[in-house]
Amino acid sequence: MLAYTIKRLLLIIPTLFGIMAISFLIIQFAPGGPIERIIAQIEGTDSSALSRISGGYSGDFSQGIQNSDTNSKYRGSQGLDQDFILELEKQFGFDKPPIERFYHMIINYMTFDFGESYYRDIKVIDLVKEKLPVSISLGLWMTLISYLISIPLGMMKAIRDGTKFDLWTSTIIVVSYALPGFLIAIFLIIFFAGGSYLDWFPLRGLTSDNFHDLSLFEKIIDYIWHITLPLLSMVLAAFATTTLLTKNSFLDEIGKQYVLTAKSKGLTDNQVLKRHVFRNAMLIIISGFPAAFISAFFTGSLLIETIFSLDGLGLLSFESIINRDYAVVFATLYIFSFIGLLINLISDLLYHWIDPRIDFETREL
């Protein structure tokens, strides 16, 4: 598997390049942009629009909103000083051709140099590190707990297929699948976070204000106390699919000829399940792990982060797209894609570890 692993690692380079190239090309044709946003905020007398760019323009802004330029390529820029527009282009890097900008971006990204946010005076990598703990907490715990529930439950449903246990658990699964995560989060807030009934859990944040003053045990309790509701709302909405997938996978394997052969040789049901069925049935579960992990880690927690005031990567990416903060948009896209490709490689290695008969080196990539 060493040769296959090296090939897959090398394949990450052109794959990342293709993802970034297509995304960069789409952005060039997307309406609006950071300069248009600055112009719109200036015309709306929003002083916060100038906080990040005040150092880039040497002229007086009150004088800059004169000298109309009817030939400007930016919508809404009529009446603004052309020198001011040129300074904005220089600060955002739009004074260079798109190909040159893309080239410099890729070279910098290869060394994980993502530059600074357009609207926040902070490096993008520092901004990602600041939001990372929330996404790690939600993503890893949600994936771990949902799999710990789904796999045993799916196995039990397959073994007891058609029984009352299977019927009642299926009802619970269907209901939890039908309810979106954000709706479950609202219910939990109403009933357990001081909404209308009980006030057992905090409404916002990942830790308390005095977290750094607590002992290690108190920090653990405080962390669990804060993450319980957002994690519960995500797990209830996520475990249904994996549970049904596990059940169907085990049912499919249990009905195959090799199971009857193993039983005819004197093996008990538990021995057949552990030695043969489990290994084969788990292959399809592992194949869905990368998508589930990436969804939980980055994109799946956007609404949950918003509802519980958790400032994570999902909320950061959404706000960056809305604000046309392309430095953050491309950086998070690069990081998400890179991690996703690594997770897919790990998934293939797990395939081989669970079933050594699967040899990817004999197949074409």
Side-chain angles (χ1 to χ4, degrees), residues 12-211:
I12 288 178
I13 298 175
T15 305
L16 273 178
F17 180 85
I19 293 173
M20 299 306 297
I22 294 174
S23 303
F24 187 85
L25 182 63
I26 293 174
I27 288 295
Q28 304 310 304
F29 295 99
I35 294 181
E36 286 89 341
R37 181 174 181 270
I38 292 293
I39 293 172
Q41 289 183 327
I42 291 175
E43 292 182 342
T45 65
D46 184 359
S47 59
S48 63
L50 310 179
S51 60
R52 181 69 178 87
I53 62 171
S54 57
Y57 179 58
S58 58
D60 183 0
F61 284 113
S62 62
Q63 295 294 327
I65 311 179
Q66 297 175 5
N67 300 335
S68 175
D69 180 13
T70 58
N71 296 322
S72 176
K73 60 183 177 181
Y74 299 107
R75 182 180 301 176
S77 63
Q78 288 78 10
L80 293 179
D81 186 0
Q82 183 63 16
D83 291 336
F84 171 64
I85 301 298
L86 294 176
E87 288 289 349
L88 283 179
E89 289 183 337
K90 183 177 180 180
Q91 182 165 349
F92 289 122
F94 294 145
D95 57 330
K96 302 179 179 66
I99 295 180
E100 184 178 350
R101 284 189 280 124
F102 179 74
Y103 170 78
H104 287 296
M105 183 183 72
I106 292 297
I107 294 299
N108 292 332
Y109 280 16
M110 290 177 64
T111 59
F112 292 93
D113 178 11
F114 301 111
E116 289 191 357
S117 169
Y118 285 171
Y119 307 112
R120 313 184 195 193
D121 193 12
I122 183 175
K123 291 184 177 180
V124 175
I125 190 65
D126 294 332
L127 192 60
V128 172
K129 290 179 181 178
E130 179 185 326
K131 315 297 182 183
L132 197 57
V134 172
S135 296
I136 289 178
S137 297
L138 293 177
L140 287 182
W141 284 117
M142 194 276 277
T143 305
L144 178 62
I145 293 175
S146 63
Y147 268 70
L148 288 177
I149 295 174
S150 301
I151 293 176
L153 181 59
M155 291 174 58
M156 294 176 64
K157 286 176 63 62
I159 296 173
R160 304 179 184 181
D161 183 42
T163 63
K164 290 184 178 180
F165 172 81
D166 181 42
L167 176 62
W168 283 106
T169 53
S170 295
T171 303
I172 296 173
I173 288 172
V174 169
V175 172
S176 64
Y177 181 78
L179 292 175
F182 73 89
L183 189 58
I184 296 176
I186 295 174
F187 286 156
L188 292 176
I189 289 175
I190 293 174
F191 284 97
F192 299 107
S196 299
Y197 298 93
L198 304 174
D199 191 9
W200 288 354
F201 296 94
L203 183 58
R204 63 183 69 247
L206 199 60
T207 56
S208 299
D209 294 335
N210 63 335
F211 181 79

